Amino acid sequence: MKSKMKAIAMLLLSVVLIVVVAGCGASSGAGSGEGDAKKQVTLDFMWFTDGIEGEVIKGLTQEYEKQNPNVKINLIEVPYKDLNTKLKTMIAGGQPPALSRMTDTGAYANQALDLAPYVGTADEFSSQFIDSIKPYYVSDDKIIAAPMDVTANGLIYNKTLFDKAGVQVPTDPNNVWTWDEFKAALKQVMEKGGAKYGLVWDVSPHRWSTMLYQFGGHMISEDGTQSAINSPEAAQALDYFVGLHKEEIAPYSVWLGGENPNNLFRSGTVAAHLAGNWMLSSYKDISNFEWGVTYMPKEQIRSSVPGGKYLMAFEGSKVEKEAADFIKWATSKEINSRYNQESLFISPRKDSSDLDYAFGKEMFKVFADELANTTPLAANDWSRQTIIPKFSTDLKNDIVQVLAEKMTTQQALENAAKLIDEAIAKDKD
C-alpha cells in the first residue's frame, strides 16, 4: 500500500514540475504575452561628428531607449580619422560593435549584417531613398547599410565681399556661370571687394572630382571594367584647377601647405568656398560678414558629387536583431526627417526632400538642386567602394605634385589610370 501511495505521489510531483517548467518557458520567450520582460541588451554604437548632429543623435538614442526599455545604447564617439582603425581592431578581436556610422560602406561589406531579413528586400527598402545612392548600401542584393543623410558639393560665398564688388551671383539654376565667367567674377571680388583670395577648395579627391564631372570627365567606365580618367576632359579639368592657383585666385597654402580652408573662409578674406552642404551648420555661427549659397559654375555640364553617411550593423555582435530594429527606426520617415532637419543635413528619403529647416532653407534648396543635376557618372564612380580607396589617396597626392610642378598633368592621369585598372583587376579575383 505504501509503495502504491509513493508511486502516486511521485506521479503528482512530476505533473506539477512539468506545469511549472512549461509556465516558465512561456513567460521567458519573446512575444509570449503582455507584460513579459524582454532581454536586456546594450548596443555599442560607433559615432563620429561633423557638426551639430552629435547632439541630435544623442537625443534620438535617448528617445529610443525610452520606447524600448530593454535597450541601452552606448554611443562611442571617435574622431573620423580613427574610425577605421578602431573598427578593424574590434572586428579582428571578435568583438564588433552593434552599430556604426559609416562613409566607406564597401570596405566592410563582408562584415556587415545583411539587413534584408529585418527591413525588406533590397528593392523594397531602397525604393524609399533617392536612386543615385543605392550602390553605396546595396551590394549583390545584400543591404549592407542604411542611408541617414545625403551630401552634395556646392558653392558657399561671402555675400558681403560680393556686394562690395557689385557682383551678382546666379539665382536661376538654368542660367549659371561658366567656369570662365566665374573666374572673372572672383577676380572682380578680389579687386573691388577686397578679397585676399577668390576661392578655397577642400583637399579632397571627392571635392576635386566635382570639377572633373563638370568638364565632362569621369574616373571609371560606366560598366566598371576599366579606367576612364586619362581623358582630354580630365586633363582640361586638372589644368584649369592648377591655373586657378597660378593666377593666385586659389591659395597654394591649402593643397600644398595644409592650411584649413574653413578657417580661411571664416576670416572673411575669401570670396568663395567649394565644399559640402555639411558646412552650412558649421558656418551658422559666422557673424562678422554675410554669406550664402549660390549655384556652382559649369563647363560642359552641371554636376555635384553625391555622398552621405550610413548606419551599419555587424555580424557577430550577438545583438543583430536589436541593431537592425534600431536602424529601421532611425531611417523611418519621421525620425530621419527630424534628424536631418535638426542637423541641417539633406535627407536621403524621397518623401523628405523639402524639410522646414530652422536655418538656411533656401541654401539647402540650392544644394538639393545641384544634386538633382548631377551626372550619374559621379555615383557610378564613387559608389565603387572596393575600388575607390585603392587609388583616391594617390590621386589626391598626384594633384598636389602637379600643383607643386613636380609632375605633369598627363603623368598624374596616367598614374591614376594605372592604379584604377589594377584595383579593378584585383577586385575581380
Side-chain angles (χ1 to χ4, degrees):
M1 184 67 177
K2 287 183 179 180
S3 176
K4 186 175 181 181
M5 291 297 293
K6 185 176 181 181
I8 293 172
M10 290 297 294
L11 179 61
L12 290 172
L13 179 61
S14 298
V15 171
V16 169
L17 286 174
I18 290 171
V19 171
V20 170
V21 171
C24 291
S27 63
S28 63
S32 58
E34 188 175 351
D36 293 333
K38 292 183 179 180
K39 178 180 69 173
Q40 295 296 313
V41 298
T42 296
L43 305 182
D44 287 335
F45 188 178
M46 301 286 287
W47 184 268
F48 62 90
T49 295
D50 292 320
I52 60 175
E53 77 279 11
E55 292 304 311
V56 178
I57 197 66
K58 287 177 184 176
L60 290 177
T61 55
Q62 290 169 6
E63 182 178 327
Y64 188 79
E65 288 174 337
K66 288 180 180 178
Q67 295 177 14
N68 300 271
N70 65 305
V71 177
K72 171 67 177 175
I73 298 176
N74 178 30
L75 202 65
I76 304 171
E77 295 190 74
V78 296
Y80 177 70
K81 63 182 179 66
D82 299 332
L83 178 67
N84 280 330
T85 300
K86 182 76 172 175
L87 273 178
K88 288 176 181 177
T89 300
M90 295 176 74
I91 291 170
Q95 293 183 317
L99 299 158
S100 182
R101 188 186 194 200
M102 304 290 294
T103 55
D104 299 330
T105 51
Y108 295 88
N110 293 332
Q111 292 80 34
L113 174 70
D114 182 7
L115 298 173
Y118 308 95
V119 301
T121 67
D123 286 342
E124 291 170 344
F125 184 68
S126 64
S127 67
Q128 304 172 84
F129 307 101
I130 61 173
D131 297 331
S132 63
I133 62 171
K134 183 177 178 179
Y136 284 98
Y137 64 93
V138 174
S139 177
D140 297 326
D141 290 327
K142 178 181 177 182
I143 305 174
I144 60 173
M148 276 295 281
D149 66 87
V150 67
T151 63
N153 298 336
L155 193 64
I156 302 171
Y157 75 105
N158 185 319
K159 189 176 186 298
T160 299
L161 294 180
F162 271 75
D163 288 348
K164 185 177 179 181
V167 176
Q168 297 293 317
V169 300
T171 57
D172 181 358
N174 297 311
N175 187 24
V176 302
W177 281 317
T178 65
W179 264 99
D180 283 345
E181 290 170 339
F182 179 47
K183 184 167 69 171
L186 293 176
K187 286 182 176 179
Q188 185 173 334
V189 178
M190 293 172 70
E191 293 167 4
K192 297 182 178 181
K196 184 177 180 180
Y197 300 113
L199 179 66
V200 288
W201 201 304
D202 294 352
V203 184
S204 159
H206 185 276
R207 237 75 75 233
W208 176 80
S209 69
T210 310
M211 177 177 273
L212 173 68
Y213 301 119
Q214 291 167 354
F215 275 69
H218 54 112
M219 297 187 293
I220 302 172
S221 64
E222 290 188 62
D223 61 6
T225 60
Q226 61 184 345
S227 67
I229 197 170
N230 190 10
S231 68
E233 294 82 5
Q236 186 184 8
L238 184 50
D239 284 341
Y240 204 98
F241 183 71
V242 172
L244 291 172
H245 291 77
K246 287 183 176 180
E247 295 182 57
E248 299 183 343
I249 294 170
Y252 280 104
S253 61
V254 174
W255 277 70
L256 295 187
E259 190 165 13
N260 190 321
N262 306 350
N263 292 340
L264 281 173
F265 185 78
R266 280 181 171 275
S267 72
T269 62
V270 175
H273 183 189
L274 196 145
N277 63 276
W278 53 89
M279 291 308 300
L280 297 184
S281 60
S282 178
Y283 286 159
K284 184 181 177 182
D285 64 346
I286 291 178
S287 58
N288 55 319
F289 61 88
E290 289 187 71
W291 60 277
V293 174
T294 188
Y295 299 97
M296 287 189 292
K298 68 175 183 178
E299 191 60 24
Q300 288 192 26
I301 61 171
R302 290 183 63 198
S303 186
S304 182
V305 185
K309 310 295 191 302
Y310 303 82
L311 292 185
M312 179 177 284
F314 295 89
E315 290 278 7
S317 70
K318 299 182 176 63
V319 285
E320 287 89 346
K321 181 185 183 303
E322 291 82 0
D325 287 344
F326 175 81
I327 288 177
K328 187 175 182 179
W329 178 83
T331 57
S332 66
K333 175 177 169 56
E334 178 191 351
I335 304 304
N336 185 257
S337 296
R338 283 169 49 197
Y339 169 76
N340 283 284
Q341 183 171 300
E342 294 174 21
S343 299
L344 300 180
F345 288 160
I346 301 172
S347 172
R349 294 189 60 90
K350 293 177 180 177
D351 53 11
S352 301
S353 60
D354 188 17
L355 300 178
D356 189 20
Y357 297 101
F359 168 81
K361 185 172 183 177
E362 295 305 314
M363 300 182 197
F364 279 101
K365 284 185 178 179
V366 176
F367 272 99
D369 188 81
E370 298 285 18
L371 202 57
N373 284 276
T374 292
T375 173
L377 295 173
N380 181 65
D381 284 346
W382 287 98
S383 66
R384 299 184 185 276
Q385 293 186 12
T386 56
I387 307 296
I388 287 287
K390 296 175 183 176
F391 75 86
S392 58
T393 299
D394 291 283
L395 174 60
K396 180 197 72 176
N397 292 338
D398 286 349
I399 292 172
V400 169
Q401 292 298 302
V402 176
L403 284 168
E405 298 184 350
K406 295 180 179 180
M407 182 181 284
T408 67
T409 291
Q410 193 57 44
Q411 287 173 331
L413 296 180
E414 286 175 357
N415 188 47
K418 177 184 175 183
L419 292 173
I420 292 170
D421 285 334
E422 289 176 354
I424 290 172
K426 289 180 181 178
D427 194 54
K428 291 178 179 177
D429 293 341

